[in-house]
Amino acid sequence: MPNPGEETPPSDCSDPESVPCRPRKARQAQESHDGDVPSLCPPQLPTSGPPRVLSMAELLETAQEVSKMTIAHEIVVNRDFKLQEVNFSPNSLESRVKETLHKAFWDSLKEQLSASPPDYTHVIQLLQEIKETILSLLLPRHSRLRGQIEEALDMELIRQEAEHGALDIPNLTMYILGTMAMLCAPVRDEEVQRLRGVTDPVQLLREIFRVLDLMKMDMVNFTIQSLRPHLQDHSVQYEQKKFQELLAKLPNSLDHTTEWLHKAAAEVSASSLSSPSHPEVHGSPAPLSLGAVSRSSSTPSPMSVLNQGYMNLLRWEPGIEKYPETLLMDQARLQEVQLQVNQLTIIAAVLLVSSSVCGSALFSSPGFREALLDISNHVHQEVSESLLQLGYAAFTSDKSASLKGQIRSIAEDDNGVRSVIEQRIHSFLSLHLSPRAQNSRSLPKGLAPIQEELLEVGHRFGSVIHHNRQVYGPYYLAILKKVVLPGAEPEAGIDSF
């Protein structure tokens, strides 16, 4: 696994090949304006032209750089990120091929050791690999242990013993297990101890390699955990530097981002026309509160456009719209947030309908809200049972039909209750677009039953957006100034978010 930390640039713009920076005072002034604004200088957008054709070597190099950038990004934004053992399904092609190859190798080794005299060729190779793996797990302070391992697993001596038929495999494996026990994480103690009871040398070597692979994974995860604070300190500069390098090779890498901002600008402009200052237009949704329209009645502010773009990600239609390039590394995370928002919308709408039909006393009874996770008939059944348990009158046929009908209609896109709930949830999530609004995130009416889940979703959404704005904010501003909002007035916030 590549070490993303090695690619981290200095925290200041000291790279002689980088784009010239703003004066330090100007950068500090912008930093104090909003914590979302990075301290790097504005990026250089590519000039328009035909797509550049990359050679195979350039493609491989670019793919490697994107992989490094993705890993570093994942470590920073995903606190739970770690490597895990890959387990193929038992009947998958990968599983069958792996099992066939492994069986052939270990069967061959068993035949070599069963020969007379034994053939230790493959055993020596395995012992060499085991030694190298164990040495790779050592820390710099383990110099004394390193010397002991070099002496105990002296490959030249092992080859001489094999040539004379005096190779003591059980003794070597016991030393290896003892060393593994010293180096492994506590979670692996039981597995290493279990290996001491394996008597078949071939099976024991196979299990040693399996556990060593787990120990290597543990070491990589430990390294990731150690690198995380360093990466967090430099992640914005690192990702901007890598993206600028990628942009130099692939000039069209911001086409979908530009389309995304174009659409957001059009929506904000149309929404501003429906505000009280434009009484001739009715029925359009109100603009987002974060980021006002500029003093020019026809030009929205960059902040409002970017915020609208972020909120549009919660209504994204896969397969119809192309995801912005600047958000591809977070696409899976944001689509998961979108799915959770849709689920919470349905749940809150069902709860609101049930409350209005059944009354607040039943609605607030312990355990009732948890029962309303399914819809229609199941909800009706749970409501009827709860009414009987609490001593209320049974449902009339009219109320039963009304409850079922309203819940079923929630699945329709134009359902009034669903639209109101969705608008309130989106309004609440829009407050998470800026860290400055964290003290004013009051919960809209009707969302109290899903408060805990909504707060968690809002935190996840805000964290992703905050990091994205820090990294790509200069690119968004450059696109807005050059392409989307060329007529924006300077006082409208065109130079900063």
Side-chain angles (χ1 to χ4, degrees), residues 133-164:
T133 300
I134 291 177
L135 290 175
S136 71
L137 297 175
L138 299 181
L139 298 176
R141 65 174 182 270
H142 291 151
S143 57
R144 182 178 178 182
L145 181 57
R146 183 180 298 274
Q148 293 174 352
I149 295 172
E150 292 282 4
E151 181 179 353
L153 299 177
D154 186 338
M155 298 311 300
E156 184 60 33
L157 179 59
I158 288 175
R159 291 188 183 93
Q160 293 177 8
E161 291 177 346
E163 291 174 0
H164 293 85

PDB file of all heavy atoms in Angstrom, residues 133-164:
ATOM      1  N   THR A 133       8.942 -11.242   6.130  1.00  0.00           N
ATOM      2  CA  THR A 133       7.679 -10.690   6.635  1.00  0.00           C
ATOM      3  C   THR A 133       7.806 -10.277   8.098  1.00  0.00           C
ATOM      4  O   THR A 133       7.350  -9.192   8.495  1.00  0.00           O
ATOM      5  CB  THR A 133       6.547 -11.722   6.484  1.00  0.00           C
ATOM      6  OG1 THR A 133       6.396 -12.068   5.105  1.00  0.00           O
ATOM      7  CG2 THR A 133       5.235 -11.163   7.012  1.00  0.00           C
ATOM      8  N   ILE A 134       8.417 -11.125   8.896  1.00  0.00           N
ATOM      9  CA  ILE A 134       8.592 -10.796  10.320  1.00  0.00           C
ATOM     10  C   ILE A 134       9.456  -9.551  10.478  1.00  0.00           C
ATOM     11  O   ILE A 134       9.146  -8.663  11.289  1.00  0.00           O
ATOM     12  CB  ILE A 134       9.209 -11.989  11.073  1.00  0.00           C
ATOM     13  CG1 ILE A 134       8.200 -13.142  11.141  1.00  0.00           C
ATOM     14  CG2 ILE A 134       9.631 -11.584  12.480  1.00  0.00           C
ATOM     15  CD1 ILE A 134       8.731 -14.388  11.802  1.00  0.00           C
ATOM     16  N   LEU A 135      10.545  -9.461   9.703  1.00  0.00           N
ATOM     17  CA  LEU A 135      11.409  -8.275   9.792  1.00  0.00           C
ATOM     18  C   LEU A 135      10.656  -7.011   9.387  1.00  0.00           C
ATOM     19  O   LEU A 135      10.917  -5.927   9.924  1.00  0.00           O
ATOM     20  CB  LEU A 135      12.642  -8.462   8.903  1.00  0.00           C
ATOM     21  CG  LEU A 135      13.664  -9.520   9.372  1.00  0.00           C
ATOM     22  CD1 LEU A 135      14.780  -9.688   8.348  1.00  0.00           C
ATOM     23  CD2 LEU A 135      14.237  -9.151  10.732  1.00  0.00           C
ATOM     24  N   SER A 136       9.715  -7.140   8.441  1.00  0.00           N
ATOM     25  CA  SER A 136       8.945  -5.962   8.005  1.00  0.00           C
ATOM     26  C   SER A 136       7.996  -5.465   9.091  1.00  0.00           C
ATOM     27  O   SER A 136       7.541  -4.315   9.027  1.00  0.00           O
ATOM     28  CB  SER A 136       8.155  -6.294   6.740  1.00  0.00           C
ATOM     29  OG  SER A 136       7.084  -7.183   7.022  1.00  0.00           O
ATOM     30  N   LEU A 137       7.694  -6.319  10.066  1.00  0.00           N
ATOM     31  CA  LEU A 137       6.794  -5.927  11.155  1.00  0.00           C
ATOM     32  C   LEU A 137       7.517  -5.212  12.292  1.00  0.00           C
ATOM     33  O   LEU A 137       6.873  -4.679  13.190  1.00  0.00           O
ATOM     34  CB  LEU A 137       6.084  -7.168  11.716  1.00  0.00           C
ATOM     35  CG  LEU A 137       5.172  -7.924  10.739  1.00  0.00           C
ATOM     36  CD1 LEU A 137       4.648  -9.198  11.394  1.00  0.00           C
ATOM     37  CD2 LEU A 137       4.014  -7.055  10.278  1.00  0.00           C
ATOM     38  N   LEU A 138       8.850  -5.195  12.250  1.00  0.00           N
ATOM     39  CA  LEU A 138       9.622  -4.586  13.330  1.00  0.00           C
ATOM     40  C   LEU A 138       9.618  -3.073  13.221  1.00  0.00           C
ATOM     41  O   LEU A 138       9.599  -2.509  12.119  1.00  0.00           O
ATOM     42  CB  LEU A 138      11.058  -5.106  13.308  1.00  0.00           C
ATOM     43  CG  LEU A 138      11.263  -6.613  13.501  1.00  0.00           C
ATOM     44  CD1 LEU A 138      12.753  -6.945  13.471  1.00  0.00           C
ATOM     45  CD2 LEU A 138      10.646  -7.086  14.803  1.00  0.00           C
ATOM     46  N   LEU A 139       9.644  -2.427  14.359  1.00  0.00           N
ATOM     47  CA  LEU A 139       9.785  -0.983  14.427  1.00  0.00           C
ATOM     48  C   LEU A 139      11.263  -0.629  14.537  1.00  0.00           C
ATOM     49  O   LEU A 139      12.090  -1.483  14.873  1.00  0.00           O
ATOM     50  CB  LEU A 139       9.011  -0.442  15.632  1.00  0.00           C
ATOM     51  CG  LEU A 139       7.500  -0.685  15.623  1.00  0.00           C
ATOM     52  CD1 LEU A 139       6.875  -0.187  16.925  1.00  0.00           C
ATOM     53  CD2 LEU A 139       6.842  -0.019  14.428  1.00  0.00           C
ATOM     54  N   PRO A 140      11.644   0.626  14.270  1.00  0.00           N
ATOM     55  CA  PRO A 140      13.072   1.009  14.337  1.00  0.00           C
ATOM     56  C   PRO A 140      13.722   0.704  15.681  1.00  0.00           C
ATOM     57  O   PRO A 140      14.928   0.408  15.730  1.00  0.00           O
ATOM     58  CB  PRO A 140      13.029   2.520  14.063  1.00  0.00           C
ATOM     59  CG  PRO A 140      11.798   2.715  13.238  1.00  0.00           C
ATOM     60  CD  PRO A 140      10.803   1.716  13.748  1.00  0.00           C
ATOM     61  N   ARG A 141      12.950   0.728  16.746  1.00  0.00           N
ATOM     62  CA  ARG A 141      13.538   0.495  18.067  1.00  0.00           C
ATOM     63  C   ARG A 141      13.827  -0.989  18.335  1.00  0.00           C
ATOM     64  O   ARG A 141      14.419  -1.319  19.364  1.00  0.00           O
ATOM     65  CB  ARG A 141      12.611   1.033  19.157  1.00  0.00           C
ATOM     66  CG  ARG A 141      11.279   0.324  19.273  1.00  0.00           C
ATOM     67  CD  ARG A 141      10.493   0.839  20.473  1.00  0.00           C
ATOM     68  NE  ARG A 141       9.214   0.166  20.655  1.00  0.00           N
ATOM     69  CZ  ARG A 141       8.068   0.558  20.120  1.00  0.00           C
ATOM     70  NH1 ARG A 141       8.054   1.629  19.337  1.00  0.00           N
ATOM     71  NH2 ARG A 141       6.944  -0.117  20.339  1.00  0.00           N
ATOM     72  N   HIS A 142      13.407  -1.855  17.434  1.00  0.00           N
ATOM     73  CA  HIS A 142      13.589  -3.299  17.637  1.00  0.00           C
ATOM     74  C   HIS A 142      14.910  -3.796  17.070  1.00  0.00           C
ATOM     75  O   HIS A 142      14.987  -4.875  16.508  1.00  0.00           O
ATOM     76  CB  HIS A 142      12.436  -4.068  16.978  1.00  0.00           C
ATOM     77  CG  HIS A 142      11.123  -3.879  17.639  1.00  0.00           C
ATOM     78  ND1 HIS A 142       9.914  -3.952  16.954  1.00  0.00           N
ATOM     79  CD2 HIS A 142      10.790  -3.590  18.924  1.00  0.00           C
ATOM     80  CE1 HIS A 142       8.912  -3.728  17.795  1.00  0.00           C
ATOM     81  NE2 HIS A 142       9.421  -3.502  18.994  1.00  0.00           N
ATOM     82  N   SER A 143      15.972  -3.013  17.208  1.00  0.00           N
ATOM     83  CA  SER A 143      17.261  -3.401  16.618  1.00  0.00           C
ATOM     84  C   SER A 143      17.817  -4.688  17.218  1.00  0.00           C
ATOM     85  O   SER A 143      18.378  -5.531  16.514  1.00  0.00           O
ATOM     86  CB  SER A 143      18.269  -2.258  16.797  1.00  0.00           C
ATOM     87  OG  SER A 143      18.397  -1.923  18.176  1.00  0.00           O
ATOM     88  N   ARG A 144      17.676  -4.866  18.523  1.00  0.00           N
ATOM     89  CA  ARG A 144      18.198  -6.082  19.164  1.00  0.00           C
ATOM     90  C   ARG A 144      17.424  -7.310  18.678  1.00  0.00           C
ATOM     91  O   ARG A 144      18.019  -8.348  18.372  1.00  0.00           O
ATOM     92  CB  ARG A 144      18.075  -5.950  20.679  1.00  0.00           C
ATOM     93  CG  ARG A 144      18.636  -7.149  21.441  1.00  0.00           C
ATOM     94  CD  ARG A 144      18.532  -6.916  22.934  1.00  0.00           C
ATOM     95  NE  ARG A 144      19.016  -8.077  23.670  1.00  0.00           N
ATOM     96  CZ  ARG A 144      19.007  -8.180  25.002  1.00  0.00           C
ATOM     97  NH1 ARG A 144      18.553  -7.155  25.740  1.00  0.00           N
ATOM     98  NH2 ARG A 144      19.458  -9.269  25.592  1.00  0.00           N
ATOM     99  N   LEU A 145      16.111  -7.208  18.610  1.00  0.00           N
ATOM    100  CA  LEU A 145      15.299  -8.327  18.137  1.00  0.00           C
ATOM    101  C   LEU A 145      15.598  -8.632  16.677  1.00  0.00           C
ATOM    102  O   LEU A 145      15.614  -9.801  16.264  1.00  0.00           O
ATOM    103  CB  LEU A 145      13.813  -7.997  18.319  1.00  0.00           C
ATOM    104  CG  LEU A 145      12.809  -9.076  17.894  1.00  0.00           C
ATOM    105  CD1 LEU A 145      13.073 -10.386  18.633  1.00  0.00           C
ATOM    106  CD2 LEU A 145      11.379  -8.602  18.122  1.00  0.00           C
ATOM    107  N   ARG A 146      15.863  -7.605  15.898  1.00  0.00           N
ATOM    108  CA  ARG A 146      16.212  -7.814  14.490  1.00  0.00           C
ATOM    109  C   ARG A 146      17.462  -8.672  14.380  1.00  0.00           C
ATOM    110  O   ARG A 146      17.537  -9.592  13.553  1.00  0.00           O
ATOM    111  CB  ARG A 146      16.418  -6.465  13.793  1.00  0.00           C
ATOM    112  CG  ARG A 146      16.723  -6.582  12.306  1.00  0.00           C
ATOM    113  CD  ARG A 146      16.911  -5.183  11.705  1.00  0.00           C
ATOM    114  NE  ARG A 146      15.705  -4.385  11.820  1.00  0.00           N
ATOM    115  CZ  ARG A 146      14.725  -4.408  10.940  1.00  0.00           C
ATOM    116  NH1 ARG A 146      14.810  -5.203   9.866  1.00  0.00           N
ATOM    117  NH2 ARG A 146      13.660  -3.655  11.109  1.00  0.00           N
ATOM    118  N   GLY A 147      18.457  -8.353  15.205  1.00  0.00           N
ATOM    119  CA  GLY A 147      19.688  -9.145  15.186  1.00  0.00           C
ATOM    120  C   GLY A 147      19.441 -10.589  15.593  1.00  0.00           C
ATOM    121  O   GLY A 147      20.035 -11.524  15.019  1.00  0.00           O
ATOM    122  N   GLN A 148      18.575 -10.797  16.577  1.00  0.00           N
ATOM    123  CA  GLN A 148      18.268 -12.163  17.021  1.00  0.00           C
ATOM    124  C   GLN A 148      17.573 -12.964  15.915  1.00  0.00           C
ATOM    125  O   GLN A 148      17.854 -14.148  15.714  1.00  0.00           O
ATOM    126  CB  GLN A 148      17.387 -12.108  18.270  1.00  0.00           C
ATOM    127  CG  GLN A 148      18.081 -11.533  19.498  1.00  0.00           C
ATOM    128  CD  GLN A 148      17.132 -11.367  20.674  1.00  0.00           C
ATOM    129  OE1 GLN A 148      15.924 -11.536  20.532  1.00  0.00           O
ATOM    130  NE2 GLN A 148      17.689 -11.026  21.842  1.00  0.00           N
ATOM    131  N   ILE A 149      16.677 -12.312  15.197  1.00  0.00           N
ATOM    132  CA  ILE A 149      15.974 -13.001  14.108  1.00  0.00           C
ATOM    133  C   ILE A 149      16.950 -13.348  12.984  1.00  0.00           C
ATOM    134  O   ILE A 149      16.888 -14.450  12.409  1.00  0.00           O
ATOM    135  CB  ILE A 149      14.816 -12.120  13.597  1.00  0.00           C
ATOM    136  CG1 ILE A 149      13.758 -11.950  14.687  1.00  0.00           C
ATOM    137  CG2 ILE A 149      14.194 -12.723  12.337  1.00  0.00           C
ATOM    138  CD1 ILE A 149      12.669 -10.948  14.342  1.00  0.00           C
ATOM    139  N   GLU A 150      17.829 -12.398  12.646  1.00  0.00           N
ATOM    140  CA  GLU A 150      18.814 -12.664  11.603  1.00  0.00           C
ATOM    141  C   GLU A 150      19.678 -13.864  11.969  1.00  0.00           C
ATOM    142  O   GLU A 150      20.033 -14.680  11.107  1.00  0.00           O
ATOM    143  CB  GLU A 150      19.697 -11.428  11.387  1.00  0.00           C
ATOM    144  CG  GLU A 150      18.989 -10.229  10.782  1.00  0.00           C
ATOM    145  CD  GLU A 150      18.795 -10.372   9.286  1.00  0.00           C
ATOM    146  OE1 GLU A 150      19.136 -11.431   8.741  1.00  0.00           O
ATOM    147  OE2 GLU A 150      18.263  -9.429   8.672  1.00  0.00           O
ATOM    148  N   GLU A 151      20.003 -13.984  13.232  1.00  0.00           N
ATOM    149  CA  GLU A 151      20.862 -15.089  13.677  1.00  0.00           C
ATOM    150  C   GLU A 151      20.086 -16.407  13.706  1.00  0.00           C
ATOM    151  O   GLU A 151      20.588 -17.450  13.263  1.00  0.00           O
ATOM    152  CB  GLU A 151      21.419 -14.787  15.067  1.00  0.00           C
ATOM    153  CG  GLU A 151      22.354 -15.865  15.597  1.00  0.00           C
ATOM    154  CD  GLU A 151      22.906 -15.521  16.960  1.00  0.00           C
ATOM    155  OE1 GLU A 151      22.679 -14.387  17.438  1.00  0.00           O
ATOM    156  OE2 GLU A 151      23.568 -16.391  17.567  1.00  0.00           O
ATOM    157  N   ALA A 152      18.857 -16.384  14.229  1.00  0.00           N
ATOM    158  CA  ALA A 152      18.086 -17.627  14.348  1.00  0.00           C
ATOM    159  C   ALA A 152      17.612 -18.139  12.991  1.00  0.00           C
ATOM    160  O   ALA A 152      17.501 -19.357  12.785  1.00  0.00           O
ATOM    161  CB  ALA A 152      16.886 -17.398  15.258  1.00  0.00           C
ATOM    162  N   LEU A 153      17.326 -17.229  12.076  1.00  0.00           N
ATOM    163  CA  LEU A 153      16.873 -17.618  10.740  1.00  0.00           C
ATOM    164  C   LEU A 153      17.935 -17.279   9.703  1.00  0.00           C
ATOM    165  O   LEU A 153      17.685 -16.641   8.675  1.00  0.00           O
ATOM    166  CB  LEU A 153      15.545 -16.929  10.402  1.00  0.00           C
ATOM    167  CG  LEU A 153      14.361 -17.251  11.320  1.00  0.00           C
ATOM    168  CD1 LEU A 153      13.120 -16.458  10.918  1.00  0.00           C
ATOM    169  CD2 LEU A 153      14.059 -18.745  11.313  1.00  0.00           C
ATOM    170  N   ASP A 154      19.160 -17.711   9.974  1.00  0.00           N
ATOM    171  CA  ASP A 154      20.287 -17.511   9.063  1.00  0.00           C
ATOM    172  C   ASP A 154      20.080 -18.406   7.841  1.00  0.00           C
ATOM    173  O   ASP A 154      20.230 -19.632   7.915  1.00  0.00           O
ATOM    174  CB  ASP A 154      21.592 -17.863   9.772  1.00  0.00           C
ATOM    175  CG  ASP A 154      22.812 -17.550   8.932  1.00  0.00           C
ATOM    176  OD1 ASP A 154      22.688 -17.455   7.702  1.00  0.00           O
ATOM    177  OD2 ASP A 154      23.908 -17.409   9.504  1.00  0.00           O
ATOM    178  N   MET A 155      19.733 -17.822   6.738  1.00  0.00           N
ATOM    179  CA  MET A 155      19.358 -18.606   5.567  1.00  0.00           C
ATOM    180  C   MET A 155      20.530 -19.406   5.012  1.00  0.00           C
ATOM    181  O   MET A 155      20.330 -20.511   4.472  1.00  0.00           O
ATOM    182  CB  MET A 155      18.778 -17.681   4.482  1.00  0.00           C
ATOM    183  CG  MET A 155      17.508 -16.957   4.897  1.00  0.00           C
ATOM    184  SD  MET A 155      16.248 -18.056   5.630  1.00  0.00           S
ATOM    185  CE  MET A 155      15.959 -19.193   4.292  1.00  0.00           C
ATOM    186  N   GLU A 156      21.745 -18.903   5.126  1.00  0.00           N
ATOM    187  CA  GLU A 156      22.894 -19.672   4.644  1.00  0.00           C
ATOM    188  C   GLU A 156      23.079 -20.933   5.477  1.00  0.00           C
ATOM    189  O   GLU A 156      23.326 -22.023   4.935  1.00  0.00           O
ATOM    190  CB  GLU A 156      24.153 -18.803   4.704  1.00  0.00           C
ATOM    191  CG  GLU A 156      25.396 -19.465   4.131  1.00  0.00           C
ATOM    192  CD  GLU A 156      25.243 -19.843   2.659  1.00  0.00           C
ATOM    193  OE1 GLU A 156      24.543 -19.111   1.933  1.00  0.00           O
ATOM    194  OE2 GLU A 156      25.815 -20.880   2.262  1.00  0.00           O
ATOM    195  N   LEU A 157      22.927 -20.793   6.784  1.00  0.00           N
ATOM    196  CA  LEU A 157      23.039 -21.956   7.667  1.00  0.00           C
ATOM    197  C   LEU A 157      21.896 -22.938   7.412  1.00  0.00           C
ATOM    198  O   LEU A 157      22.103 -24.166   7.420  1.00  0.00           O
ATOM    199  CB  LEU A 157      23.036 -21.503   9.126  1.00  0.00           C
ATOM    200  CG  LEU A 157      23.121 -22.613  10.192  1.00  0.00           C
ATOM    201  CD1 LEU A 157      24.397 -23.432  10.020  1.00  0.00           C
ATOM    202  CD2 LEU A 157      23.027 -22.011  11.592  1.00  0.00           C
ATOM    203  N   ILE A 158      20.704 -22.425   7.182  1.00  0.00           N
ATOM    204  CA  ILE A 158      19.546 -23.285   6.902  1.00  0.00           C
ATOM    205  C   ILE A 158      19.774 -24.081   5.614  1.00  0.00           C
ATOM    206  O   ILE A 158      19.451 -25.277   5.540  1.00  0.00           O
ATOM    207  CB  ILE A 158      18.266 -22.428   6.815  1.00  0.00           C
ATOM    208  CG1 ILE A 158      17.873 -21.931   8.209  1.00  0.00           C
ATOM    209  CG2 ILE A 158      17.121 -23.217   6.188  1.00  0.00           C
ATOM    210  CD1 ILE A 158      16.699 -20.976   8.224  1.00  0.00           C
ATOM    211  N   ARG A 159      20.336 -23.453   4.599  1.00  0.00           N
ATOM    212  CA  ARG A 159      20.615 -24.177   3.347  1.00  0.00           C
ATOM    213  C   ARG A 159      21.642 -25.288   3.568  1.00  0.00           C
ATOM    214  O   ARG A 159      21.516 -26.396   3.003  1.00  0.00           O
ATOM    215  CB  ARG A 159      21.117 -23.196   2.284  1.00  0.00           C
ATOM    216  CG  ARG A 159      20.052 -22.232   1.787  1.00  0.00           C
ATOM    217  CD  ARG A 159      20.547 -21.412   0.616  1.00  0.00           C
ATOM    218  NE  ARG A 159      19.547 -20.442   0.198  1.00  0.00           N
ATOM    219  CZ  ARG A 159      19.489 -19.201   0.641  1.00  0.00           C
ATOM    220  NH1 ARG A 159      20.393 -18.769   1.532  1.00  0.00           N
ATOM    221  NH2 ARG A 159      18.544 -18.385   0.214  1.00  0.00           N
ATOM    222  N   GLN A 160      22.661 -25.000   4.363  1.00  0.00           N
ATOM    223  CA  GLN A 160      23.675 -26.022   4.646  1.00  0.00           C
ATOM    224  C   GLN A 160      23.055 -27.199   5.400  1.00  0.00           C
ATOM    225  O   GLN A 160      23.347 -28.369   5.100  1.00  0.00           O
ATOM    226  CB  GLN A 160      24.817 -25.411   5.457  1.00  0.00           C
ATOM    227  CG  GLN A 160      25.626 -24.374   4.695  1.00  0.00           C
ATOM    228  CD  GLN A 160      26.699 -23.743   5.548  1.00  0.00           C
ATOM    229  OE1 GLN A 160      26.959 -24.173   6.685  1.00  0.00           O
ATOM    230  NE2 GLN A 160      27.352 -22.711   5.016  1.00  0.00           N
ATOM    231  N   GLU A 161      22.198 -26.913   6.369  1.00  0.00           N
ATOM    232  CA  GLU A 161      21.541 -27.985   7.119  1.00  0.00           C
ATOM    233  C   GLU A 161      20.647 -28.816   6.194  1.00  0.00           C
ATOM    234  O   GLU A 161      20.573 -30.053   6.324  1.00  0.00           O
ATOM    235  CB  GLU A 161      20.718 -27.389   8.258  1.00  0.00           C
ATOM    236  CG  GLU A 161      21.557 -26.771   9.367  1.00  0.00           C
ATOM    237  CD  GLU A 161      20.698 -26.116  10.435  1.00  0.00           C
ATOM    238  OE1 GLU A 161      19.479 -25.912  10.172  1.00  0.00           O
ATOM    239  OE2 GLU A 161      21.216 -25.798  11.518  1.00  0.00           O
ATOM    240  N   ALA A 162      19.962 -28.152   5.254  1.00  0.00           N
ATOM    241  CA  ALA A 162      19.104 -28.874   4.311  1.00  0.00           C
ATOM    242  C   ALA A 162      19.922 -29.790   3.409  1.00  0.00           C
ATOM    243  O   ALA A 162      19.515 -30.923   3.105  1.00  0.00           O
ATOM    244  CB  ALA A 162      18.298 -27.880   3.480  1.00  0.00           C
ATOM    245  N   GLU A 163      21.072 -29.308   2.970  1.00  0.00           N
ATOM    246  CA  GLU A 163      21.930 -30.127   2.113  1.00  0.00           C
ATOM    247  C   GLU A 163      22.418 -31.381   2.813  1.00  0.00           C
ATOM    248  O   GLU A 163      22.624 -32.425   2.171  1.00  0.00           O
ATOM    249  CB  GLU A 163      23.119 -29.288   1.636  1.00  0.00           C
ATOM    250  CG  GLU A 163      22.735 -28.183   0.647  1.00  0.00           C
ATOM    251  CD  GLU A 163      23.914 -27.285   0.321  1.00  0.00           C
ATOM    252  OE1 GLU A 163      25.021 -27.547   0.868  1.00  0.00           O
ATOM    253  OE2 GLU A 163      23.741 -26.331  -0.461  1.00  0.00           O
ATOM    254  N   HIS A 164      22.604 -31.307   4.131  1.00  0.00           N
ATOM    255  CA  HIS A 164      23.102 -32.449   4.901  1.00  0.00           C
ATOM    256  C   HIS A 164      21.966 -33.233   5.568  1.00  0.00           C
ATOM    257  O   HIS A 164      22.223 -34.109   6.402  1.00  0.00           O
ATOM    258  CB  HIS A 164      24.099 -31.980   5.972  1.00  0.00           C
ATOM    259  CG  HIS A 164      25.380 -31.440   5.394  1.00  0.00           C
ATOM    260  ND1 HIS A 164      25.506 -30.140   4.986  1.00  0.00           N
ATOM    261  CD2 HIS A 164      26.578 -32.042   5.148  1.00  0.00           C
ATOM    262  CE1 HIS A 164      26.728 -29.923   4.518  1.00  0.00           C
ATOM    263  NE2 HIS A 164      27.406 -31.079   4.610  1.00  0.00           N
TER     264      HIS A 164
END
